[in-house]
């Protein structure tokens, strides 16, 4: 087993990674790379921006600097980012023929820049804290591939799902196999935990969530390497707005469930018991409040989770780029100081 000085995260206790896109040093490095995607593909600079938050804050894990949309890009869709408009694809998936034409992903070749980033970051971390790898869920990736970018109503994705469910299933199955290959590649390259982001599962009807999102996360869980370097590789699954489905999410077989801020963490714990750890769940917008208010919110979330292990404290969703780094610092400091009494 490789040495790991701080394995608190892997013991699924507290404190978590906060990536660095709100930091001035991040913006400087991104400017050096040219743009966001070039930064993801530049191994030393992707490593540098992964390390930046760890230099500022006492965090218990690092998260790979990359994006969930690397898989569709590698499948030939042509990802680009237009300033202020979010991600976009040059090519979209709309038909049975489009799905049939998708190549089989060979993650270690087609996404070699991600694997290189993982192994470089692992070397740089030098056993200080574990490295989390990640991917989008098949459903979430499918929405971007069908819509051609972000969406408000998911009209095209739902058209395909309800109108030609068998075509949607073929696409999701293709993506599930791609995600398995991609995450196993990250694990072999050195990722010590992996997270699946199901950002858009929460826009589905309950039966459709089970059939079109959850079932494919289960397929991934069943296909992942779950032990590597003599240690368990925990899997975290996160469905934004998925609070009503926690019991079904437990059946996926992940080690932890990510919670957004809309679900009360105390209630969530009562529902899932000790079957999984819970990760979350402060509203990222709380970081705009004064530090004293942030601290009070951290105390409140800790007390609602209560005593014992199995709480990985983090935000309920991604941090917004205009957050004051001092407020992020106050958040992390509060978690460090206030969580001790609950985790004895
Ligand atoms: O935050 C981190 O640095 C950790 C790595 C990470 C990124 N994206 C980097 C990133 C992670 C875990 C993601 C996941 C991701 N990417 C998700 C799922 C998580 C979630 O939000 O639910 C989604 C939906 C995406 C797709 C994506 N990438 C969007 C919607 C955007 C925002 C576009 C915009 O205009 O702000 C991105 C860009 C992105 N991904 C940035 C970063 C740091 C910002 C790029 C920049 O402006 O520098």
């Amino acid at each position: 087993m490789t040495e790991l000085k701080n394995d608190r995260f892997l013991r699924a206790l507290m404190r978590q990674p906060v990536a660095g896109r709100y930091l001035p040093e991040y913006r400087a490095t991104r400017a050096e790379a040219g743009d966001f995607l070039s930064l993801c593909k530049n191994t030393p600079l992707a490593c540098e921006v992964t390390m930046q938050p760890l230099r500022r804050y006492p965090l218990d894990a690092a998260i790979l600097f990359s994006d969930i949309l690397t898989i569709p890009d590698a499948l030939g869709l042509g990802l680009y980012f237009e300033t202020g408009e979010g991600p976009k694809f040059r090519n979209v998936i709309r038909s049975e023929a489009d799905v049939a034409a998708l190549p089989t992903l060979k993650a270690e070749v087609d996404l070699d820049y991600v694997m290189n980033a993982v192994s470089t970051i692992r070397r740089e971390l030098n056993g200080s804290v574990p490295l989390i790898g990640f991917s989008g869920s098949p459903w979430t990736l499918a929405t971007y591939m069908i819509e051609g970018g972000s969406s408000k109503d998911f009209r095209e994705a739902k058209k395909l799902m309800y109108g030609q469910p068998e075509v949607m299933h073929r696409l999701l199955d293709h993506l599930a196999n791609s995600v398995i290959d991609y995450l196993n590649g990250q694990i072999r390259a050195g990722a010590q935990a992996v997270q699946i982001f199901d950002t858009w599962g929460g826009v589905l009807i309950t039966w459709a969530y089970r059939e079109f999102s959850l079932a494919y996360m289960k397929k991934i869980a069943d296909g992942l390497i779950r032990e590597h370097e003599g240690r368990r590789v925990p899997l975290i699954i996160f469905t934004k707005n998925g609070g009503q489905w926690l019991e079904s999410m437990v059946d996926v077989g992940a080690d932890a469930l990510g919670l957004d801020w809309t679900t009360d963490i105390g209630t969530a714990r009562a529902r899932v018991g000790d079957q999984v750890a819970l990760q979350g769940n402060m509203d990222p917008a709380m970081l705009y409040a004064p530090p004293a208010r942030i601290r009070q919110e951290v105390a409140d979330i800790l007390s609602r989770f209560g005593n014992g292990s199995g709480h990985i404290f983090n935000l309920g969703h991604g941090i917004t780029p205009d957050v004051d780094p001092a407020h992020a610092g106050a958040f992390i400091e509060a978690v460090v100081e206030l969580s001790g009494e609950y985790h004895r």
Side-chain angles (χ1 to χ4, degrees), residues 205-273:
I205 309 171
T206 293
W207 69 261
Y209 172 69
R210 292 222 180 85
E211 182 177 331
F212 292 96
S213 182
L214 200 63
Y216 292 96
M217 292 200 278
K218 171 95 171 72
K219 176 174 169 128
I220 294 165
D222 292 344
L224 285 185
I225 298 169
R226 299 301 283 273
E227 208 180 295
H228 191 64
E229 304 178 68
R231 217 187 257 111
R232 181 148 184 99
V233 183
L235 167 66
I236 307 157
I237 61 169
F238 168 75
T239 294
K240 186 159 173 266
N241 280 309
Q244 62 173 321
W245 302 313
L246 298 180
E247 291 83 355
S248 320
M249 290 174 77
V250 166
D251 298 334
V252 164
D255 300 270
L257 305 184
L259 292 181
D260 70 28
W261 64 92
T262 63
T263 300
D264 178 86
I265 198 166
T267 312
R269 190 185 189 190
R271 286 164 58 197
V272 304

Side-chain angles (χ1 to χ4, degrees), residues 33-337:
D35 57 62
F36 169 66
L37 212 50
S38 307
L39 178 54
C40 292
K41 294 181 182 182
N42 182 319
T43 308
L45 295 186
C47 175
E48 164 61 21
V49 292
T50 302
M51 302 303 292
Q52 283 169 349
L54 298 161
R55 293 191 196 115
R56 275 195 188 236
Y57 309 115
L59 297 161
D60 283 342
I63 188 157
L64 166 69
F65 188 83
S66 189
D67 197 79
I68 65 164
L69 300 176
T70 51
I71 286 181
D73 187 49
L75 293 175
L77 271 68
L79 173 66
Y80 64 100
F81 286 83
E82 217 131 82
T83 337
E85 284 184 57
K88 289 243 162 55
F89 287 111
R90 286 189 186 86
N91 310 308
V92 295
I93 301 294
R94 288 286 161 86
S95 68
E96 186 167 8
D98 293 341
V99 174
L102 284 171
T104 300
L105 184 74
K106 288 195 193 64
E108 273 153 340
V109 180
D110 304 332
L111 290 164
D112 59 342
Y113 66 89
V114 177
M115 308 308 155
N116 292 338
V118 170
S119 54
T120 305
I121 295 161
R122 255 307 284 279
R123 216 174 309 127
E124 188 77 14
L125 286 170
N126 193 26
S128 52
V129 292
L131 175 62
I132 308 168
F134 67 91
S135 170
S137 73
W139 164 255
T140 292
L141 296 180
T143 65
Y144 285 99
M145 293 167 76
I146 297 165
E147 302 287 342
S150 303
S151 174
K152 282 197 170 63
D153 55 9
F154 302 91
R155 196 177 307 194
E156 296 299 330
K158 288 186 173 184
K159 228 185 255 178
L160 190 69
M161 173 177 68
Y162 294 134
Q164 294 174 275
E166 66 294 343
V167 175
M168 185 56 121
H169 277 302
R170 230 169 294 148
L171 173 59
L172 293 168
D173 195 64
H174 191 91
L175 289 171
N177 289 328
S178 306
V179 171
I180 291 168
D181 186 48
Y182 184 48
L183 288 179
N184 281 342
Q186 291 184 31
I187 292 165
R188 280 190 289 265
Q192 291 149 297
V194 290
Q195 174 155 354
I196 301 172
F197 287 94
D198 185 30
T199 309
W200 300 119
V203 305
L204 293 169
I205 309 171
T206 293
W207 69 261
Y209 172 69
R210 292 222 180 85
E211 182 177 331
F212 292 96
S213 182
L214 200 63
Y216 292 96
M217 292 200 278
K218 171 95 171 72
K219 176 174 169 128
I220 294 165
D222 292 344
L224 285 185
I225 298 169
R226 299 301 283 273
E227 208 180 295
H228 191 64
E229 304 178 68
R231 217 187 257 111
R232 181 148 184 99
V233 183
L235 167 66
I236 307 157
I237 61 169
F238 168 75
T239 294
K240 186 159 173 266
N241 280 309
Q244 62 173 321
W245 302 313
L246 298 180
E247 291 83 355
S248 320
M249 290 174 77
V250 166
D251 298 334
V252 164
D255 300 270
L257 305 184
L259 292 181
D260 70 28
W261 64 92
T262 63
T263 300
D264 178 86
I265 198 166
T267 312
R269 190 185 189 190
R271 286 164 58 197
V272 304
D274 57 9
Q275 302 175 91
V276 286
L278 293 174
Q279 175 173 282
N281 68 341
M282 194 177 86
D283 184 349
M286 184 58 74
L287 294 175
Y288 297 123
R293 178 67 189 88
I294 295 170
R295 190 178 176 89
Q296 188 190 331
E297 189 67 13
V298 167
D300 188 44
I301 293 169
L302 283 168
S303 82
R304 278 185 279 131
F305 182 88
N307 288 314
S309 62
H311 183 197
I312 302 152
F313 206 120
N314 82 340
L315 300 174
H317 198 228
I319 194 163
T320 36
D322 58 342
V323 158
D324 181 344
H327 288 217
F331 163 61
I332 294 158
E333 193 179 298
V335 176
V336 171
E337 289 175 13

